Amino acid sequence: MSATTVQQSRGHVALLDPSEQLRPEPIYAGKLKSQFRNFDEDSDDPIKERIRKTYLNMHTNQTVDFVKSRMKYWLRFDKAKMTAKEALIKLNDLVDESDPDTNLPNIIHAFQTAESIREEHPDLDWFHLTGLIHDLGKVMAFYGEPQWAVVGDTFPVGCAWGDSIVHRATSFDNNPDGKDPRYNTKYGMYKPQCGITNLMMSWGHDEYMYRLLIHNKSKLPKEALAMIRYHSFYPWHASGDYMHFCTQEDIDMLKWIREFNKFDLYTKSGAVPDVEKLWPYYEKLIDKYIPGLLEW
C-alpha cells in the first residue's frame, strides 16, 4: 500500500503519513508491527488453515438474508441473563479461530487490552472498561453460533466487498450476493455518504455487543459504543475501504476507533495479567456503567 498525504476533504482520510516510512518499525509485545495480522495461506500450518477455513465460511455465508436472520434471532435478547463478569469468565473457554496473533483464551486478551488502555489513558475509566468488554459478544459461540458468524473481521453486506478484506480474492466466490445486482455494486442497497451507522454489517460479536449494550441501557459514552461496534471493521479503519459511505461524524469517530485498535491488536502476547488481582478495579467500573444482570 503506498503512502498518502492527509486528506479529509470530500470524505477521504489518509491511511499513512509519508514520514512514517523514514522511522524504525515499531515493536509491540516483542513483535514487529508488520508481524501482526499475518493471513498468509499455508496448508501445512494448522493455525493458518483454521483461519482460512473460518474466513471462507464467513465470506460464503454472510449475506443480507443471513444477517437479517441472525438479527431476528439474537436481538430478542432471550438467550441468557448474566452479569458482565459472568460473561467474561465464560471467555476463559474461548479461543478465537480467526486470530493469527494469539491462542490464549479470550479473557486474557480482554485484560491485556484493558490494562494497556488504562496505562496510557489513566483518567478515562470508561475506556478501560471498553477494552475489557469489547469482545463479550463472542459468548454467542456458547449458544450455538458457529465461530465464522461470531469472530473475525467484519464488512458491510449489501454492497461490493472491499478490496482489503482478508482472503478477498477467492473467498467470496460462492456468496450469492455477489451475483445479485441489488447488492454487488459499489453502493449496492445504500446511498453515497449515507453514514457507516446505516450499513448492515456482517453478523458477529461487534454488532451483537453494541446492540446488547443499547438494549441493557449501558451508561458508556458514544465513543465507547463506536469502538465496540466497529473494532473488527478493519477494511474501514485500517485500510480506508468504504470511505464513500462516510459522513463527517464517521470521520470524527474514526480517530477513537483507531486509538482503540492499537490496544486491541498490539497487546496480544504471551504475558498473562493477574486477573484475580485486577477484578476489584474492573468490577467497580462494571457497576458504574453496565450494572447487574444483563439480557443476552
Side-chain angles (χ1 to χ4, degrees):
M1 184 186 301
S2 62
T4 56
T5 56
V6 176
Q7 275 192 344
Q8 289 194 349
S9 61
R10 298 185 182 178
H12 295 286
V13 170
L15 305 183
L16 295 174
D17 178 343
S19 64
E20 292 288 344
Q21 307 306 306
L22 306 177
R23 300 171 186 165
E25 185 177 359
I27 295 175
Y28 300 97
K31 291 169 62 175
L32 292 171
K33 184 176 181 180
S34 61
Q35 292 177 310
F36 287 85
R37 288 181 56 80
N38 180 351
F39 292 102
D40 292 344
E41 294 187 29
D42 182 351
S43 59
D44 294 325
D45 184 321
I47 293 178
K48 289 185 182 298
E49 187 62 6
R50 179 195 74 193
I51 293 167
R52 184 192 68 81
K53 289 180 178 178
T54 298
Y55 276 104
L56 178 62
N57 282 323
M58 179 195 302
H59 295 164
T60 298
N61 294 293
Q62 290 272 8
T63 64
V64 171
D65 287 343
F66 174 79
V67 174
K68 287 180 178 178
S69 75
R70 301 333 287 152
M71 292 176 73
K72 182 178 179 180
Y73 178 76
W74 284 102
L75 301 186
R76 297 197 300 259
F77 302 109
D78 58 357
K79 307 302 178 290
K81 289 186 179 181
M82 57 184 163
T83 65
K85 181 177 181 179
E86 288 170 332
L88 280 159
I89 291 171
K90 272 187 172 291
L91 296 187
N92 263 320
D93 299 319
L94 180 73
V95 174
D96 188 327
E97 294 178 355
S98 72
D99 197 329
D101 295 311
T102 183
N103 263 324
L104 291 172
N106 224 242
I107 192 173
I108 302 303
H109 169 56
F111 277 94
Q112 287 173 332
T113 305
E115 281 295 283
S116 61
I117 293 170
R118 185 180 175 188
E119 182 177 355
E120 191 160 329
H121 297 282
D123 298 327
L124 299 179
D125 65 352
W126 61 266
F127 199 176
H128 312 164
L129 181 61
T130 302
L132 189 72
I133 68 168
H134 73 280
D135 277 343
L136 273 192
K138 292 179 182 180
V139 299
M140 288 190 293
F142 298 106
Y143 297 92
E145 199 72 10
Q147 283 217 21
W148 57 261
V150 175
V151 302
D153 293 4
T154 57
F155 56 92
V157 296
C159 62
W161 301 300
D163 292 337
S164 68
I165 295 174
V166 172
H167 298 308
R168 168 69 178 85
T170 59
S171 59
F172 286 97
D173 286 355
N174 294 317
N175 186 310
D177 283 3
K179 302 175 180 64
D180 191 324
R182 294 174 297 172
Y183 306 139
N184 62 7
T185 62
K186 179 178 180 178
Y187 292 103
M189 62 183 191
Y190 310 108
K191 301 292 184 184
Q193 295 181 308
C194 63
I196 294 297
T197 59
N198 289 312
L199 302 180
M200 181 185 293
M201 301 299 296
S202 56
W203 183 250
H205 69 282
D206 294 35
E207 186 70 17
Y208 175 57
M209 192 61 195
Y210 164 76
R211 299 290 191 112
L212 187 145
L213 290 169
I214 298 294
H215 173 76
N216 285 283
K217 298 180 173 55
S218 151
K219 298 180 180 67
L220 287 166
K222 64 178 182 179
E223 291 83 1
L225 296 176
M227 292 171 186
I228 287 167
R229 193 178 194 183
Y230 299 116
H231 70 271
S232 302
F233 190 9
Y234 276 87
W236 177 49
H237 68 65
S239 299
D241 286 344
Y242 302 103
M243 296 304 298
H244 47 284
F245 292 124
C246 285
T247 64
Q248 186 57 50
E249 185 177 3
D250 295 326
I251 302 302
D252 295 341
M253 199 60 69
L254 191 56
K255 66 182 180 182
W256 281 103
I257 297 165
R258 286 175 170 164
E259 178 67 9
F260 174 81
N261 175 247
K262 70 182 185 183
F263 302 108
D264 181 18
L265 178 58
Y266 299 124
T267 58
K268 295 173 182 176
S269 70
V272 178
D274 187 340
V275 172
E276 291 307 313
K277 183 178 178 181
L278 294 170
W279 268 126
Y281 173 72
Y282 287 99
E283 284 181 286
K284 290 179 182 177
L285 298 188
I286 289 170
D287 289 341
K288 180 177 179 180
Y289 291 105
I290 44 172
L293 285 175
L294 306 178
E295 294 181 339
W296 299 78

